[in-house]
Structure formats: structure tokens, C-alpha cells
Amino acid sequence: MTADGGDPQHGPRSLRRARKQRERARPVEERAEHLRERVYAIFTGLAIVLVLRSNVEHLDAARATLTLLTGIVAISAAGFVAGIIAHLAVHAAFPDRAETAAAIRTAGGALGSAAWPLILLALAWAGVLELDPALRAAEIVYLVTLVVIGWIAVRRTGIAWWKQLFAMGALVLLGLGVVLLQQLAHGH
């Protein structure tokens, strides 16, 4: 038995370790695609949450939760279908089983980006939270997630600290530009 109460070969820590090893064993291109789709979904979720917050007085928590869920499922499905179309166009064939499994994992990762925001909205739906604070918390979750992903990406470059700071500032400005464009697209 381990300290966390699990079997040393099949406990929670060994399962996390095995999952990380499987992730590192995947091709770099697949990992990059997975992260790219997750970031798309985060931006989409953030845009949805911002629009919902701007109309919070006209919404109930059930509608807000279902709107976010539908939007994230839609962007994940669109990414999956786009991957299939791109594969067909480039390779003149449908993806094989392994490539399809990779595309499904990528779509699942995009869906996973909404887990905490959906939990927050579900808590509002259940009456545990008010809708506006739940939406505000979901917005913060999305923003913090984007900042953390950006920070990790910049840190991995190994460039001088001042260049990392500049790069992070550029990413923040680009991210704000994306959010503003999404808001303009929704008329807010």
C-alpha cells in the first residue's frame, strides 16, 4: 500500500505518472494539435462567458450552463471534423485508426477545457451560487488558464528573462485582441 491508500502499481500516483508518460510518448505534432485545440476552446468558452455576463439579467443558470456546454461541444466537434477534412485533403485518404483516436483525444481535450467553468455554472443552476458570480469565476478560470499556458510556453523557450517578459506581454496583447474581436462579433 502507498501513503495515499492505493496499490503501488495501480494507485492514483502511478496512474498519473503513467498518463504523463503516455502523453510524452505521443508525437510532438499530436501534442501541439491537442494544445492548440484546447486553447481554441478556452478562447471560445471565454467569449461565451463574457457574452453571458453581459446579458446576465436576461438569463437563468440552466440556460447559461447549456449555452456554454453547447458552444464547447460545437467547437470541439468542429475541430474534429476540420482535422478529418484536412487529413483527407492532404493525404487523399481517411485517417487510420490511430489517427482517428488521436483526433478523438484532441477533441476530448478541448471539451475538458470547460470542466471547471461548467461546474461553476452547474452550481449556479443548483442554487449554490448566484449566476453572475459563477460567470465571473468562470471568466477568471479561463483567463488564468490562458495565462498559465502562455507562461509555461514562454518559459520553455529558455530565452532571457526580459525576452520572456516581452513575449508574455505580446501574448497577453494578442489574447486581448482575440477576446475583443470575439466580443465585437457578438455585438458587445
Side-chain angles (χ1 to χ4, degrees):
M1 281 292 197
T2 62
D4 59 11
D7 177 350
Q9 292 183 341
H10 303 289
R13 286 186 186 148
S14 65
L15 291 175
R16 280 191 298 269
R17 199 173 316 117
R19 187 173 42 235
K20 285 181 182 180
Q21 287 172 345
R22 279 192 312 272
E23 179 65 26
R24 280 189 223 111
R26 290 193 182 123
V28 172
E29 297 82 17
E30 182 183 335
R31 289 186 285 157
E33 181 67 22
H34 180 87
L35 183 58
R36 182 175 36 250
E37 289 298 321
R38 194 171 184 95
V39 171
Y40 285 153
I42 291 168
F43 272 116
T44 300
L46 177 59
I48 292 168
V49 166
L50 290 171
V51 170
L52 291 171
R53 274 202 62 225
S54 70
N55 296 302
V56 71
E57 64 275 354
H58 305 294
L59 292 173
D60 61 25
R63 182 169 177 198
T65 305
L66 293 175
T67 298
L68 179 59
L69 177 62
T70 302
I72 296 300
V73 168
I75 195 69
S76 299
F80 176 77
V81 172
I84 300 297
I85 292 170
H87 192 280
L88 279 167
V90 171
H91 301 284
F94 282 96
D96 64 23
R97 184 177 295 219
E99 292 163 333
T100 302
I104 290 169
R105 280 192 302 273
T106 297
L111 288 172
S113 71
W116 282 108
L118 284 169
I119 288 169
L120 290 164
L121 294 182
L123 289 172
W125 190 353
V128 176
L129 296 172
E130 294 294 320
L131 181 57
D132 190 49
L135 287 167
R136 183 177 304 273
E139 179 183 337
I140 291 167
V141 166
Y142 277 130
L143 289 170
V144 167
T145 303
L146 284 171
V147 168
V148 168
I149 290 171
W151 180 246
I152 290 169
V154 168
R155 293 286 298 163
R156 292 190 68 179
T157 64
I159 59 178
W161 70 267
W162 62 272
K163 289 180 181 178
Q164 290 180 15
L165 188 61
F166 180 79
M168 193 63 195
L171 287 177
V172 168
L173 288 175
L174 289 169
L176 287 173
V178 169
V179 171
L180 287 174
L181 285 172
Q182 288 176 323
Q183 291 298 289
L184 286 173
H186 288 92
H188 299 284

